[in-house]
Amino acid sequence: MIKNDLYLKALRGETVERPPVWMMRQAGRYLPEFIALRDKYDFFTRCQTPELAAEITIQPIRRFPLDAAILFSDILVVPQAMGIDFKMKESVGPWLDNPIRTTEQVQNIEVPDVNDTLGYVFDAIELTLQKLDNEIPLIGFAGSPWTILCYCVEGKGSKAFDIAKSFCFQQPEAAHLLLQKITDTTIAYLKRKVEKGVSAVQVFDSWGGMLSPTDYQEFSWQYINQIVEALSPLTHVVVFGKGCWFALEDMTMSKASALGVDWTITPEFARTLTNHTMTLQGNFDPARLHSTPETIKKMVTEMINRFGKDRYIANLGHGILPNIPVENAEAFIRAVVDWKPNI
């Protein structure tokens, strides 16, 4: 049994004394101990070496009173497993020498046996669970099929992903075939994570907000919902779509246990769109962690009061920025842990 199951209680919709707290990218580049490992090992070496991935996952847990750990990895390990050879290029980010632009390329992509191609992730889960020793839950994650397609077709990061969108609109059959292959791989990947012992999984749709509401349904949500349908009988599924507030009503009709929201929507409107029935996660602006610790505490308290303590997971509205002072990250976490209701 997990000793601190506050996060799981929130996912189940149970009454809690305070909301649980964790931060997206909490195992990351704002921590000096992470930077020390980054300087010794390249990015995908850290992802693909179970001992390093487990150590990085645990680093913020040693520092802060967090209510959940999230396995250190990357969404691009899934396309890598499918034979799409992503690199992490200095000062550029994700990079693909030969982006996916043709039907023939899509047809040649394999849906792999995840045990063969992603075994290092499952080994990292085992090592991490040993280190956590049932203190708090471990979250597994994957990118949404649409977000992964964006990188595969664009070949790198982008502000608008125009090439990826054009590919979908000009070659919809190829796009849907690619999305389905990514979906099938992701479902197998997340199922194996659950078998290895993660307590919940989160699907990150980082680029869903690039699409219109109609196109979102066609090219993103229907594939995310396949993942939710496949995983929800096995574990809690959290869906986080950045910039996707317009889809919250549809997402609420799904079997997801919780929905992440970014900072572009008020707590009140998010509650209205989800009919006050859904556990919500978010939505502190990551850049607001540049405020003073006193301001952060005040804003976090207000955020919790507006969402309400139940059916709520305190988090950022996206991943923590690399230049955030450690003491400001701690102020965010402690503001949640120390929160008391106004009596």
Side-chain angles (χ1 to χ4, degrees):
M1 291 292 291
I2 293 170
K3 293 166 196 165
N4 173 358
D5 63 348
L6 200 58
Y7 171 73
L8 300 177
K9 283 180 176 173
L11 291 177
R12 293 193 294 261
E14 296 174 10
T15 299
V16 292
E17 290 186 2
R18 66 161 176 90
V21 59
W22 69 279
M23 295 189 303
M24 288 184 277
R25 290 202 185 128
Q26 67 189 21
R29 52 210 174 155
Y30 69 105
L31 290 174
E33 55 268 46
F34 175 91
I35 292 166
L37 286 176
R38 183 193 67 190
D39 291 345
K40 285 174 76 173
Y41 306 99
D42 71 69
F43 182 77
F44 283 118
T45 297
R46 279 174 271 143
C47 291
Q48 293 165 3
T49 307
E51 293 78 9
L52 290 175
E55 168 59 23
I56 292 166
T57 302
I58 295 295
Q59 284 177 345
I61 311 306
R62 293 194 189 109
R63 275 187 180 264
F64 310 127
L66 291 155
D67 297 304
I70 184 162
L71 187 74
F72 176 75
S73 187
D74 193 77
I75 64 170
L76 296 179
V77 300
V78 166
Q80 282 180 332
M82 299 169 74
I84 303 168
D85 187 25
F86 272 100
K87 303 176 179 70
M88 202 57 75
K89 207 169 184 179
E90 189 70 36
S91 72
V92 175
W95 181 264
L96 194 56
D97 287 331
N98 297 300
I100 308 299
R101 305 276 171 87
T102 68
T103 300
E104 185 181 15
Q105 282 176 294
V106 174
Q107 288 170 338
N108 288 335
I109 292 169
E110 296 292 323
V111 174
D113 181 334
V114 294
N115 292 302
D116 292 340
T117 53
L118 290 162
Y120 59 87
V121 178
F122 312 133
D123 291 344
I125 291 171
E126 285 189 359
L127 289 175
T128 304
L129 289 172
Q130 288 171 22
K131 287 173 181 276
L132 286 174
D133 194 27
N134 289 321
E135 289 291 333
I136 55 173
L138 179 62
I139 304 166
F141 72 90
S144 74
W146 159 252
T147 290
I148 300 228
L149 177 143
C150 282
Y151 286 109
C152 290
V153 175
E154 204 83 20
K156 60 183 190 301
S158 167
K159 287 186 177 171
F161 287 100
D162 293 332
I163 298 171
K165 289 171 74 172
S166 298
F167 172 77
C168 290
F169 303 153
Q170 292 170 355
Q171 303 182 70
E173 285 187 17
H176 283 297
L177 178 59
L178 178 54
L179 287 163
Q180 192 60 56
K181 287 184 173 187
I182 297 167
T183 301
D184 293 344
T185 306
T186 302
I187 288 170
Y189 177 54
L190 292 177
K191 279 185 173 179
R192 191 72 180 121
K193 284 189 172 184
V194 174
E195 288 169 11
K196 282 291 184 179
V198 301
S199 295
V201 296
Q202 179 160 315
V203 179
F204 284 86
D205 195 11
S206 302
W207 306 122
M210 299 287 174
L211 294 166
S212 72
T214 301
D215 289 330
Y216 188 75
Q217 291 294 326
E218 180 176 355
F219 294 104
S220 187
W221 175 247
Q222 66 162 314
Y223 295 100
I224 293 174
N225 199 39
Q226 282 186 45
I227 297 168
V228 174
E229 287 284 330
L231 270 295
S232 59
L234 309 174
T235 193
H236 296 288
V237 185
V238 182
V239 176
F240 170 60
K242 184 171 178 285
C244 300
W245 62 268
F246 55 80
L248 284 173
E249 288 175 292
D250 289 316
M251 290 175 174
T252 302
M253 305 297 288
S254 76
K255 293 174 183 168
S257 293
L259 301 175
V261 288
D262 66 20
W263 63 93
T264 63
I265 186 169
T266 64
E268 295 82 4
F269 192 35
R271 286 293 188 202
T272 299
L273 289 176
T274 56
N275 204 26
H276 296 268
T277 60
M278 180 64 77
T279 295
L280 296 177
Q281 174 180 280
N283 70 334
F284 201 81
D285 182 348
R288 263 294 179 181
L289 292 181
H290 283 299
S291 303
T292 64
E294 295 76 23
T295 300
I296 291 167
K297 180 172 183 181
K298 184 180 170 195
M299 292 183 72
V300 168
T301 302
E302 181 185 336
M303 178 176 73
I304 296 170
N305 291 340
R306 291 174 70 184
F307 274 105
K309 70 175 174 66
D310 294 328
R311 290 188 181 276
Y312 177 57
I313 298 162
N315 206 317
L316 306 177
H318 201 227
I320 188 169
L321 300 167
N323 56 351
I324 296 297
V326 172
E327 57 268 27
N328 291 18
E330 183 167 12
F332 174 85
I333 295 158
R334 292 204 175 272
V336 183
V337 173
D338 296 339
W339 179 87
K340 296 284 188 294
N342 291 323
I343 298 170

